[in-house]
PDB file of all heavy atoms in Angstrom:
ATOM      1  N   ASN A 218     -10.924   5.255 -33.751  1.00 90.00           N
ATOM      2  CA  ASN A 218     -10.031   4.929 -34.718  1.00 90.00           C
ATOM      3  C   ASN A 218      -9.306   3.710 -34.315  1.00 90.00           C
ATOM      4  O   ASN A 218      -8.163   3.796 -33.951  1.00 90.00           O
ATOM      5  CB  ASN A 218      -9.031   6.032 -35.066  1.00 90.00           C
ATOM      6  CG  ASN A 218      -9.728   7.368 -35.455  1.00 90.00           C
ATOM      7  OD1 ASN A 218     -10.238   7.483 -36.517  1.00 90.00           O
ATOM      8  ND2 ASN A 218      -9.757   8.360 -34.575  1.00 90.00           N
ATOM      9  N   PRO A 219      -9.971   2.515 -34.421  1.00 86.00           N
ATOM     10  CA  PRO A 219      -9.275   1.277 -33.932  1.00 86.00           C
ATOM     11  C   PRO A 219      -8.042   1.013 -34.623  1.00 86.00           C
ATOM     12  O   PRO A 219      -7.113   0.373 -34.087  1.00 86.00           O
ATOM     13  CB  PRO A 219     -10.243   0.188 -34.353  1.00 86.00           C
ATOM     14  CG  PRO A 219     -11.570   0.854 -34.555  1.00 86.00           C
ATOM     15  CD  PRO A 219     -11.193   2.133 -34.987  1.00 86.00           C
ATOM     16  N   GLU A 220      -7.668   1.595 -35.816  1.00 89.00           N
ATOM     17  CA  GLU A 220      -6.420   1.313 -36.469  1.00 89.00           C
ATOM     18  C   GLU A 220      -5.171   1.888 -35.728  1.00 89.00           C
ATOM     19  O   GLU A 220      -4.073   1.536 -36.130  1.00 89.00           O
ATOM     20  CB  GLU A 220      -6.415   1.746 -37.891  1.00 89.00           C
ATOM     21  CG  GLU A 220      -6.492   3.326 -38.123  1.00 89.00           C
ATOM     22  CD  GLU A 220      -7.916   3.900 -37.963  1.00 89.00           C
ATOM     23  OE1 GLU A 220      -8.901   3.113 -37.665  1.00 89.00           O
ATOM     24  OE2 GLU A 220      -8.144   5.104 -38.240  1.00 89.00           O
ATOM     25  N   ILE A 221      -5.387   2.782 -34.831  1.00 89.00           N
ATOM     26  CA  ILE A 221      -4.293   3.428 -34.107  1.00 89.00           C
ATOM     27  C   ILE A 221      -3.876   2.703 -32.888  1.00 89.00           C
ATOM     28  O   ILE A 221      -2.977   3.043 -32.207  1.00 89.00           O
ATOM     29  CB  ILE A 221      -4.618   4.903 -33.699  1.00 89.00           C
ATOM     30  CG1 ILE A 221      -5.729   4.891 -32.652  1.00 89.00           C
ATOM     31  CG2 ILE A 221      -4.993   5.686 -34.880  1.00 89.00           C
ATOM     32  CD1 ILE A 221      -5.971   6.250 -32.093  1.00 89.00           C
ATOM     33  N   LEU A 222      -4.542   1.484 -32.729  1.00 86.00           N
ATOM     34  CA  LEU A 222      -4.308   0.647 -31.482  1.00 86.00           C
ATOM     35  C   LEU A 222      -2.870   0.425 -31.320  1.00 86.00           C
ATOM     36  O   LEU A 222      -2.128   0.515 -30.189  1.00 86.00           O
ATOM     37  CB  LEU A 222      -5.175  -0.499 -31.381  1.00 86.00           C
ATOM     38  CG  LEU A 222      -4.863  -1.470 -30.281  1.00 86.00           C
ATOM     39  CD1 LEU A 222      -5.132  -0.820 -28.870  1.00 86.00           C
ATOM     40  CD2 LEU A 222      -5.630  -2.757 -30.321  1.00 86.00           C
ATOM     41  N   GLN A 223      -2.200  -0.107 -32.416  1.00 88.00           N
ATOM     42  CA  GLN A 223      -0.791  -0.599 -32.261  1.00 88.00           C
ATOM     43  C   GLN A 223       0.179   0.546 -32.019  1.00 88.00           C
ATOM     44  O   GLN A 223       1.065   0.445 -31.259  1.00 88.00           O
ATOM     45  CB  GLN A 223      -0.451  -1.396 -33.541  1.00 88.00           C
ATOM     46  CG  GLN A 223       1.087  -1.832 -33.682  1.00 88.00           C
ATOM     47  CD  GLN A 223       1.355  -2.753 -32.444  1.00 88.00           C
ATOM     48  OE1 GLN A 223       0.394  -3.589 -32.113  1.00 88.00           O
ATOM     49  NE2 GLN A 223       2.486  -2.788 -31.890  1.00 88.00           N
ATOM     50  N   GLN A 224      -0.159   1.722 -32.634  1.00 90.00           N
ATOM     51  CA  GLN A 224       0.579   2.909 -32.336  1.00 90.00           C
ATOM     52  C   GLN A 224       0.569   3.250 -30.897  1.00 90.00           C
ATOM     53  O   GLN A 224       1.519   3.598 -30.256  1.00 90.00           O
ATOM     54  CB  GLN A 224       0.129   4.118 -33.345  1.00 90.00           C
ATOM     55  CG  GLN A 224       0.774   5.440 -32.981  1.00 90.00           C
ATOM     56  CD  GLN A 224      -0.053   6.600 -33.612  1.00 90.00           C
ATOM     57  OE1 GLN A 224      -0.738   6.402 -34.446  1.00 90.00           O
ATOM     58  NE2 GLN A 224       0.063   7.689 -33.080  1.00 90.00           N
ATOM     59  N   LYS A 225      -0.565   3.324 -30.349  1.00 86.00           N
ATOM     60  CA  LYS A 225      -0.845   3.707 -29.022  1.00 86.00           C
ATOM     61  C   LYS A 225      -0.067   2.642 -28.098  1.00 86.00           C
ATOM     62  O   LYS A 225       0.354   3.077 -27.017  1.00 86.00           O
ATOM     63  CB  LYS A 225      -2.353   3.913 -28.671  1.00 86.00           C
ATOM     64  CG  LYS A 225      -3.038   4.965 -29.401  1.00 86.00           C
ATOM     65  CD  LYS A 225      -2.397   6.336 -29.108  1.00 86.00           C
ATOM     66  CE  LYS A 225      -3.106   7.484 -29.756  1.00 86.00           C
ATOM     67  NZ  LYS A 225      -2.486   8.814 -29.415  1.00 86.00           N
TER      68      LYS A 225
END
Side-chain angles (χ1 to χ4, degrees):
N218 303 289
E220 67 276 5
I221 68 171
L222 175 60
Q223 183 58 35
Q224 172 196 337
K225 296 300 182 182

